[in-house]
Amino acid sequence: MLDVLIAGAGPVGLWLAAELRLHGVEVTVVERRAAPDGRSRAVGMQAGTLDTFATRGLAERFIERGTPVPTGHFGAATTRLDFSTVGAVHPYMLALGQSVTEQLLEEHAVSVGARVLRGEEVVSLTQGPADAVEAVIRAGGTHRMVRARWVVGCDGTRSAVRQAAGIDFPGQDTTLTGWLADVELDDPPTAPLAATGPAGSFLAAPIGDGVHRLAGLSTATMHRGTGDPLTLEEVREQTRALLGRELGIRNPQWLSRYGNATRQAARYRAGRVLLAGDAAHMFFPAGGQGMNVGIQDATNLGWKLAATLQGRAPEGLLDSYDTERRPAARAVIDNTRAQLALFAAATPEQIALREVWSAALAEPETNRLWARRIAGFGDPLTAGTAPGGHPLNGTRLAGLALDTAQAPTAHPLMHHGRPLLLDLGGTRTPCPAGDLEQRAATVNTEAADPVWRDVTAVLIRPDARIAWAATDTDPQRRAADCHTALRALCR
């Protein structure tokens, strides 16, 4: 019997497989596609995802293949978001095609022991009273049944796993469409290019290997169906109408229309079946957030599911996956809907709204707030039972600079995937729980960042969330609080 069966070898399924293998869980991934898809639905890797990869020592593999983009957009607002303000280790978005991302993630997952089977897909599930799920897998014209302790659906918006588990997927159907084209350009822009006007909105950005992603939302064509063919000539016409020039468009790699259908799973868990990524949520692709939200799903789920399988999870830990990640996706759904309103602005009132919002983003604090949210750092969790009520509790770890030769930030100290206890007070924080202390790694260091000047200890979850931060200088109280916080993560 398998420990975990994952349906879908996209970025989310592959990253989840690697995270589970980090803890020794046996994982099999099945993927309907016989070979990787050369098209790239996602072309932007946000700073939050790069920082996640940095916690496992992998960020440089992606950076070497991509192009850093220091600013981002919120809808068609003319003021760019400044990612240098978010506090990330990698303060930029990385322009990188999803096909390359999937290649690197599959190489990583396989190297750590995950099994990836292509040309196979989950078509039905049965959950019984036993501690297992029976899954029927179709491979070519044959079917076989496999048993797994847990099944995770990372198989996209039409998820067979979600449907088989009986999980509702409420929301709205497509009401308008945009278009995208991955093409080569005779006259490429030297930086990401955006344009807005009465005719609609236009974006252009490099995605690697001499290819640019063009995306547009035209008020004249936005009510065409997603199934209507998009031609190269229409792309040229739309570019001229929205941008005012053509860019020398040629050699199309992919032409497509995309819609604003928006849905979210009613729950992310049904018994021993879980959902992540597009199987759990879908929304308009604004701001390059879709793949990135899914990777954060997998990062949140991986250590919790591994701990549950191995008997190390305190009560309710796996349930917290749903309670933490569904609100995070809901926040992204809300901001993509708001971005779409700016993209599709056509009336004088709507255009005025776009101009007002552009002016608001010129305020540094507003810009930083939304840069953090788009980059993946703006969804703090409920601190739960963490003692002390420190404002850092529940927030995402950003670029905490350490005054140590061992590591310039906390991220290289997290390659093991266990909780990390940083004693910033100069003396080791005792954890009087015997074996429980072995569940975490403890490092004595000092924080170089003035923001952390008064913090004497911090406990960081495997997904780089701060579980507990303390300013107490009393070693006994600090040790007791640390123990309480650690018990919420492991036993």
Side-chain angles (χ1 to χ4, degrees):
M1 182 165 61
L2 304 176
D3 280 346
V4 178
L5 173 66
I6 297 174
V12 177
L14 293 169
W15 182 243
L16 177 60
E19 286 292 277
L20 290 167
R21 284 298 304 145
L22 188 62
H23 300 280
V25 174
E26 294 299 322
V27 185
T28 295
V29 184
V30 294
E31 168 55 50
R32 177 181 55 82
R33 298 171 297 172
D37 190 343
R39 300 174 301 178
S40 294
R41 297 185 181 278
V43 295
M45 185 175 291
Q46 295 291 358
T49 297
L50 282 170
D51 275 20
T52 291
F53 290 160
T55 65
R56 306 296 184 253
L58 300 171
E60 292 303 321
R61 301 185 190 184
F62 298 88
I63 294 170
E64 289 171 359
R65 300 287 297 274
T67 302
V69 180
T71 63
H73 66 87
F74 188 95
T78 54
T79 304
R80 301 283 291 179
L81 300 175
D82 181 3
F83 291 134
S84 70
T85 66
V86 304
V89 174
H90 303 93
Y92 47 80
M93 184 189 77
L94 191 70
L96 181 67
Q98 183 175 326
S99 59
V100 177
T101 298
E102 287 187 7
Q103 173 196 338
L104 295 174
L105 287 176
E106 184 165 357
E107 290 173 359
H108 170 57
V110 171
S111 72
V112 296
R115 187 168 65 146
V116 180
L117 304 178
R118 290 192 170 272
E120 304 194 3
E121 61 179 325
V122 174
V123 294
S124 65
L125 298 172
T126 303
Q127 295 196 69
D131 294 339
V133 182
E134 293 183 349
V136 175
I137 295 178
R138 178 169 58 208
T142 65
H143 293 74
R144 74 179 189 279
M145 190 273 288
V146 301
R147 300 180 75 241
R149 299 186 189 281
W150 295 87
V151 174
V152 186
C154 302
D155 50 343
T157 58
R158 297 182 177 89
S159 172
V161 170
R162 185 188 64 238
Q163 295 176 48
I167 299 175
D168 291 337
F169 200 42
Q172 71 171 42
D173 293 329
T174 291
T175 59
L176 55 82
T177 60
W179 57 267
L180 65 83
D182 291 347
V183 295
E184 295 178 9
L185 303 175
D186 290 329
D187 182 23
T190 57
L193 180 64
T196 60
S201 306
F202 176 87
L203 297 170
I207 60 174
D209 298 326
V211 178
H212 277 69
R213 163 68 55 86
L214 310 184
L217 196 150
S218 167
T219 56
T221 65
M222 65 185 182
H223 295 297
R224 292 186 180 177
T226 54
D228 287 359
L230 177 69
T231 66
L232 185 60
E233 185 53 38
E234 183 182 344
V235 171
R236 288 172 174 151
E237 291 175 358
Q238 289 295 314
T239 301
R240 283 192 295 268
L242 298 172
L243 181 62
R245 57 193 177 99
E246 191 193 283
L247 301 176
I249 299 167
R250 59 181 172 81
N251 195 16
Q253 311 291 306
W254 186 31
L255 306 175
S256 180
R257 299 187 198 276
Y258 58 92
N260 65 326
T262 301
R263 297 184 179 277
Q264 185 176 28
R267 49 193 171 131
Y268 284 12
R269 177 185 177 186
R272 288 180 169 265
V273 177
L274 298 128
L275 304 176
D278 290 350
H281 41 70
M282 65 183 296
F283 40 81
F284 187 75
Q289 299 174 92
M291 179 188 73
N292 297 275
V293 173
I295 286 175
Q296 296 312 316
D297 290 344
T299 310
N300 185 293
L301 177 59
W303 65 279
K304 294 176 180 178
L305 183 54
T308 300
L309 266 163
Q310 296 167 350
R312 298 182 284 104
E315 184 177 356
L317 181 66
L318 189 57
D319 290 334
S320 71
Y321 168 65
D322 178 278
T323 58
E324 291 179 356
R325 292 310 301 166
R326 276 203 304 129
R330 173 52 56 181
V332 174
I333 285 171
D334 288 344
N335 85 52
T336 55
R337 281 174 162 159
Q339 291 190 64
L340 180 57
L342 302 186
F343 276 125
T347 68
E349 293 80 8
Q350 293 166 341
I351 293 171
L353 174 63
R354 184 167 64 199
E355 292 174 351
V356 168
W357 182 243
S358 297
L361 287 179
E363 295 293 330
E365 283 306 309
T366 303
N367 195 292
R368 179 177 180 273
L369 169 68
W370 282 102
R372 284 182 57 82
R373 289 179 177 175
I374 299 299
F377 290 91
D379 56 340
L381 308 178
T382 302
T385 58
H390 196 282
L392 286 171
N393 292 353
T395 62
R396 173 102 183 255
L397 178 71
L400 167 58
L402 301 179
D403 187 15
T404 174
Q406 184 176 359
T409 71
H411 293 72
L413 304 175
M414 301 181 67
H415 294 180
H416 45 67
R418 291 181 290 152
L420 173 66
L421 175 60
L422 294 180
D423 179 4
L424 303 175
T427 59
R428 189 175 186 279
T429 302
C431 194
D435 291 343
L436 190 61
E437 186 179 8
Q438 299 175 12
R439 303 295 192 195
T442 302
V443 175
N444 299 289
T445 185
E446 293 183 11
D449 192 330
V451 174
W452 292 72
R453 183 180 296 114
D454 296 329
V455 178
T456 56
V458 60
L459 179 65
I460 305 168
R461 302 188 337 181
D463 56 356
R465 294 282 180 175
I466 296 175
W468 165 75
T471 56
D472 201 329
T473 57
D474 182 275
Q476 291 185 333
R477 286 196 304 266
R478 192 172 58 175
D481 286 348
C482 174
H483 180 230
T484 298
L486 195 53
R487 284 179 62 87
L489 306 184
C490 54
R491 64 179 177 86

